[in-house]
Amino acid sequence: MDTKLSLVSLGETVTISSLLDSSLKPKLMEMGLVAGKKLKVLFRAPFGDPIAIDLGGYVLSLRLDEAKLINVS
Amino acid sequence: MNIALLGNPNTGKSTVFNLLTGMRQHVGNFPGVTVDKKVGDFDINNQQHIITDFPGTYSLYPRSKDEEVVYKVLSDKNHPDFPDTAIVVVDASNLERNLLLFTQIYDLQIPTILVLNMSDIAFKKGKKADIQRLEQEFPGVTIVEMSARVGLGVDRLKEAIENFNPSLTVKSNFTPDFQLLPMEDLENQSVEAEMRFFKIRLIVAKVIAQKELLNDTKSNKIDRILVHPILGYLIFTLVLFILFQFIYVFAALPMDLIDGSFSTLSSWMHESLPKGYFFDLITQGIIPGIGGIVVFVPQIALLFFFLSILEESGYLARVVFIMDRIMRPLGLNGKSVVPLLSSVACAIPGIMAARTISSRKERLITILVAPLMSCSARIPVYTLLIAVVIPSKMIFGFINLQGLILFALYALGLVSALIMSTVMNLFIKAKEKSFLLLEMPSYKMPRWGNIGLNVLEKVKVFVLEAGKIILAISILLWFLATFGPSNRMEIAVEKLKNEVSFSQLNSEEQSHKISSEQLANSYIGIIGKGIEPVIRPIGFDWKIGISLITSFAAREVFVGSLATIYAVNDDGEENKTLVDRLKNEKRADGSKIYSLATGVSLMVFYVYAMQCMATLAVVKRETKSWKWPIFQLVFMGIFAYLGSLVAFNIFN
């Protein structure tokens, strides 16, 4: 089941399936968000945004706006 | 050798830099860009090497303004900063992402030493890399394992540098037929990144028995508390409270010492040096000017000391995380918190700290509102005015009214900064989409060496950047205050000396009286009287006008100017004589000049007015145009005037 990273609930582990096209795409990829990569949603900031994810070795925080660009399964 | 130090953020790159160079480092400029260039040198067996610490980036292709310098230097073999050798520092516990930048540099065929840093942490996480296999994948690269935080591996790195011969390295490519893409070609940059990661993964799989998603549980447990919806903010508030308490308590003593020493030096030199304008310039223009700069060093050093601890420990990334959502509707970014906090000491390092904000719009708004935060130069002005117009009494039995007003002035600055940024958010157009992609480093004990060097660097920037302007303005103001048109000053002093009351004063009072009369008839006195009609509606007279103008050197000069005008000693500290004098100043009709209304109006004026040439100069440099500092001067000036007008009329 494909969904967006912004909709994944806390503690869930998912695999990145693709990135939407946007000017941020290369930046997201360079930070390690590439198709096939596993990640776990660690926690949310107060007000639910931004979120922090574990990318297998490091923790990245990103806004829901950025998380919407990432398809996961 | 000319070495470029490169790597992702949070890899301990700066620690490696500090370990190699120690105190032998300075901040310079890359031609044509505003990014600071940290350069250092070191010797290995009498052979000198120069090393440049480039901004931490995830890729060769820039994603923010300050990252451009990496691309610009490395893509141009004729660039004056183009290195003989690159040292690429990578986080060994996170090889996959870190190798992206490394393979790009490798493809540029720059001879490279690869530093696998944090190898101790990687080892603990079960990610020990097979160095020999990694070296086979990248012919010509020397690989060194380090744990820079604990100082391990420096000797190995130095040995590698000593034995490294750039001209003998094998020229090989990671990408066949590699072509560097233009900075703007985002589409193909994505394709390139995808291709690189595909190959990097195969290599990492061979080199490391990787365990996926093994997270640092200790950091995660701390995070559950520090980013908690309620506890998170409570802890942040508490941290801020402690931070500012410490700064004010610890900075007070050195500041008094500096203040005292400079005024002693100035008066001692004034008495021992021969008379004349040249010596007056030194004793009354230059020395107090330098004193006015140095006096802020303790506060600035302490603030950056605490901020570096917070940064090194990993806490600041969490502050950005919990503040981002709150700051966004205001046109700011989670990363705006640090610049705004720094501005409470001084807007100059604060404005420079805004460079880490990648969105141009959010960075600009942060820069524009930063000077509204009450800086340390405003404290002497606030304290004097509060002592003059606010009675020292308790309200509700336990709150000191004077302290409450001081707090209110800080709050007014902060709230105004946030309101202004919200307004600007509506009018300033964004060129690119704002985003926040921030690595959250795991919590660590700070490295004191890094903190010391960081504090030193920030203080140096303040002394040099702000210092030269404060000094220049001080000298200019000294000229305007010492000379007047034709012999106007002499005539006024002669007239004063002939007055009956004058001869009854003792010699100290006489000389104060003369200084005061001279100032009133100098160019600056004339300007002060010239602007009186404009400032009368907000409750100021020409004497205050003079002091407002002299404040352009630095706001606290206001106090010294008033002391000269009212012909009393500025004792630097409590200023009891000046406070008494101001309390008793009357207008011709017998009403108080420093009434509550005028006092409050002045305080409000100082909260808003952009009276700091040094800040304006830094804003010009950071935004690369005169448009924004002029805009700042104008909007803050209008705010100051209107705010004072309202305050004066309410209290009058």
Side-chain angles (χ1 to χ4, degrees):
Chain A
M1 248 302 278
D2 259 28
T3 179
K4 290 192 187 313
L5 176 59
S6 51
L7 301 172
V8 176
S9 40
L10 272 189
E12 236 183 291
T13 302
V14 290
T15 307
I16 300 177
S17 46
S18 64
L19 298 184
L20 296 186
D21 274 325
S22 78
S23 57
L24 271 182
K25 190 175 171 188
K27 169 81 182 164
L28 293 168
M29 293 178 74
E30 285 158 6
M31 300 214 52
L33 294 157
V34 274
K37 187 95 187 162
K38 270 189 186 171
L39 64 88
K40 181 179 169 189
V41 181
L42 284 183
F43 38 77
R44 289 172 188 280
F47 308 108
D49 188 14
I51 59 171
I53 57 174
D54 186 327
L55 268 171
Y58 87 107
V59 181
L60 178 72
S61 60
L62 67 168
R63 291 178 179 170
L64 291 180
D65 280 346
E66 280 92 69
K68 279 181 197 150
L69 301 170
I70 301 163
N71 287 324
V72 295
S73 58
Chain B
M1 275 196 300
N2 179 14
I3 304 170
L5 186 62
L6 300 148
N8 287 185
N10 300 308
T11 50
K13 192 168 61 71
S14 303
T15 310
V16 173
F17 180 74
N18 291 342
L19 282 173
L20 284 174
T21 61
M23 300 288 279
R24 288 162 69 178
Q25 48 175 275
H26 64 272
V27 179
N29 285 308
F30 290 105
V33 275
T34 49
V35 184
D36 282 339
K37 172 181 167 186
K38 277 177 76 182
V39 193
D41 63 271
F42 57 96
D43 301 327
I44 303 172
N45 284 338
N46 297 322
Q47 179 72 42
Q48 199 196 33
H49 301 282
I50 312 248
I51 185 164
T52 307
D53 187 12
F54 281 79
T57 60
Y58 294 97
S59 163
L60 188 58
Y61 301 111
R63 305 290 168 229
S64 73
K65 217 68 208 141
D66 60 337
E67 290 180 8
E68 277 178 15
V69 67
V70 175
Y71 182 92
K72 281 185 177 154
V73 172
L74 296 188
S75 63
D76 175 9
K77 284 201 161 57
N78 299 317
H79 196 283
D81 292 304
F82 190 83
D84 305 317
T85 300
I87 295 181
V88 181
V89 182
V90 300
D91 174 354
S93 64
N94 187 14
L95 262 191
E96 188 179 307
R97 194 202 68 207
N98 275 264
L99 284 182
L100 178 84
L101 175 69
F102 167 73
T103 60
Q104 289 174 328
I105 293 164
Y106 187 75
D107 276 342
L108 288 173
Q109 302 200 325
I110 298 170
T112 301
I113 297 174
L114 177 64
V115 173
L116 294 188
N117 197 18
M118 310 199 212
S119 49
D120 53 338
I121 298 172
F123 187 73
K124 272 186 213 154
K125 287 187 181 174
K127 291 183 176 176
K128 175 89 182 82
D130 184 340
I131 306 287
Q132 278 173 342
R133 293 222 47 180
L134 197 57
E135 273 183 340
Q136 282 166 16
E137 298 290 339
F138 299 103
V141 172
T142 304
I143 302 180
V144 181
E145 277 188 291
M146 278 185 86
S147 299
R149 290 182 49 78
V150 285
L152 274 178
V154 198
D155 296 335
R156 276 198 296 268
L157 177 59
K158 283 188 176 166
E159 201 182 320
I161 295 169
E162 192 185 359
N163 298 329
F164 196 77
N165 190 340
S167 55
L168 288 181
T169 50
V170 189
K171 297 274 187 279
S172 172
N173 268 4
F174 178 75
T175 316
D177 308 318
F178 172 72
Q179 285 280 314
L180 185 70
L181 298 165
M183 272 202 283
E184 304 77 26
D185 190 355
L186 297 180
E187 203 171 315
N188 284 314
Q189 286 168 17
S190 304
V191 177
E192 190 191 310
E194 194 150 18
M195 183 278 299
R196 283 183 191 280
F197 273 122
F198 179 74
K199 290 179 80 172
I200 288 171
R201 275 190 184 179
L202 297 177
I203 292 174
V204 172
K206 275 190 253 175
V207 173
I208 293 182
Q210 175 128 6
K211 295 181 195 161
E212 283 272 314
L213 298 179
L214 193 91
N215 37 30
D216 186 348
T217 46
K218 206 171 97 194
S219 271
N220 279 341
K221 266 183 204 146
I222 304 176
D223 272 335
R224 246 166 237 140
I225 302 168
L226 292 187
V227 304
H228 185 276
I230 298 161
L231 279 179
Y233 293 116
L234 273 179
I235 292 170
F236 181 47
T237 315
L238 192 71
V239 166
L240 284 187
F241 180 77
I242 295 171
L243 190 129
F244 286 109
Q245 281 296 315
F246 267 101
I247 292 173
Y248 290 124
V249 172
F250 287 137
L253 183 70
M255 284 175 86
D256 286 348
L257 276 176
I258 292 167
D259 213 23
S261 328
F262 271 94
S263 52
T264 315
L265 180 68
S266 167
S267 49
W268 174 77
M269 283 181 73
H270 184 63
E271 274 152 33
S272 38
L273 285 172
K275 297 277 164 273
Y277 285 126
F278 175 71
F279 297 106
D280 275 358
L281 171 63
I282 295 173
T283 58
Q284 286 160 20
I286 296 177
I287 292 180
I290 295 174
I293 301 158
V294 178
V295 76
F296 293 118
V297 167
Q299 277 197 353
I300 288 168
L302 276 167
L303 183 87
F304 282 103
F305 174 73
F306 288 116
L307 280 181
S308 323
I309 292 181
L310 296 185
E311 179 160 24
E312 280 255 321
S313 65
Y315 181 59
L316 269 189
R318 275 72 185 179
V319 171
V320 173
F321 186 69
I322 61 169
M323 295 303 288
D324 184 65
R325 187 66 191 86
I326 303 176
M327 305 295 267
R328 229 180 299 163
L330 311 175
L332 301 169
N333 184 297
K335 289 184 180 172
S336 307
V337 174
V338 175
L340 294 182
L341 273 181
S342 310
S343 299
V344 176
C346 173
I348 290 158
I351 285 166
M352 288 166 57
R355 283 177 194 164
T356 56
I357 302 171
S358 51
S359 144
R360 197 194 70 94
K361 177 182 167 179
E362 290 171 340
R363 174 167 174 235
L364 182 62
I365 295 180
T366 308
I367 291 175
L368 291 177
V369 302
L372 285 167
M373 304 295 285
S374 281
C375 64
S376 23
R378 284 165 168 116
I379 297 174
V381 180
Y382 291 164
T383 340
L384 175 77
L385 294 170
I386 287 175
V388 173
V389 300
I390 308 289
S392 172
K393 65 173 183 194
M394 293 292 176
I395 45 173
F396 307 121
F398 65 97
I399 301 169
N400 179 317
L401 183 63
Q402 292 187 327
L404 186 71
I405 297 295
L406 185 63
F407 176 79
L409 292 172
Y410 273 89
L412 181 63
L414 172 67
V415 170
S416 308
L418 298 181
I419 293 175
M420 260 327 281
S421 63
T422 316
V423 174
M424 287 181 197
N425 188 23
L426 301 173
F427 291 100
I428 297 176
K429 282 194 191 71
K431 276 192 187 148
E432 68 285 274
K433 214 178 147 296
S434 139
F435 64 89
L436 181 83
L437 280 165
L438 182 68
E439 192 176 341
M440 305 248 270
S442 46
Y443 293 102
K444 311 182 197 66
M445 268 304 284
R447 233 190 128 258
W448 301 108
N450 285 355
I451 290 172
L453 287 166
N454 188 27
V455 169
L456 203 68
E457 187 197 312
K458 288 294 192 312
V459 168
K460 253 171 141 176
V461 164
F462 166 75
V463 171
L464 299 179
E465 286 291 322
K468 61 183 182 206
I469 289 162
I470 297 179
L471 195 60
I473 304 278
S474 306
I475 293 171
L476 175 71
L477 290 173
W478 176 84
F479 271 103
L480 292 177
T482 310
F483 299 99
S486 58
N487 54 355
R488 191 177 152 139
M489 287 165 77
E490 288 77 12
I491 296 170
V493 171
E494 272 317 303
K495 203 174 141 227
L496 175 75
K497 282 183 177 164
N498 292 330
E499 281 174 21
V500 188
S501 59
F502 186 78
S503 56
Q504 290 160 352
L505 301 169
N506 67 33
S507 66
E508 197 190 337
E509 287 168 336
Q510 281 184 345
S511 79
H512 282 322
K513 245 328 203 239
I514 292 174
S515 310
S516 165
E517 196 62 31
Q518 281 173 332
L519 185 60
N521 289 285
S522 66
Y523 286 112
I524 220 165
I526 294 164
I527 300 173
K529 283 177 183 152
I531 62 169
E532 197 180 41
V534 183
I535 57 178
R536 200 179 293 127
I538 55 176
F540 304 167
D541 65 359
W542 63 270
K543 293 176 178 175
I544 298 175
I546 292 178
S547 310
L548 292 185
I549 294 163
T550 57
S551 281
F552 272 97
R555 291 177 174 95
E556 84 282 3
V557 175
F558 176 81
V559 179
S561 293
L562 276 187
T564 312
I565 294 166
Y566 287 109
V568 294
N569 261 323
D570 173 15
D571 67 8
E573 222 177 314
E574 285 181 1
N575 267 321
K576 219 183 153 309
T577 39
L578 180 58
V579 170
D580 289 341
R581 183 66 203 264
L582 296 185
K583 277 184 178 167
N584 295 322
E585 275 302 303
K586 301 251 169 28
R587 287 200 185 83
D589 62 4
S591 63
K592 272 189 177 179
I593 293 184
Y594 292 88
S595 61
L596 180 65
T598 295
V600 174
S601 162
L602 250 179
M603 287 188 249
V604 170
F605 193 87
Y606 269 84
V607 168
Y608 289 121
M610 181 67 240
Q611 285 160 298
C612 179
M613 289 301 283
T615 304
L616 289 172
V618 168
V619 172
K620 194 255 153 185
R621 205 193 60 181
E622 294 291 310
T623 60
K624 286 194 193 144
S625 104
W626 278 111
K627 180 173 143 194
W628 296 111
I630 290 170
F631 170 70
Q632 224 169 5
L633 183 71
V634 172
F635 96 75
M636 289 175 69
I638 293 172
F639 259 51
Y641 193 83
L642 294 180
S644 295
L645 192 65
V646 171
F648 184 70
N649 284 303
I650 289 176
F651 288 96
N652 207 0

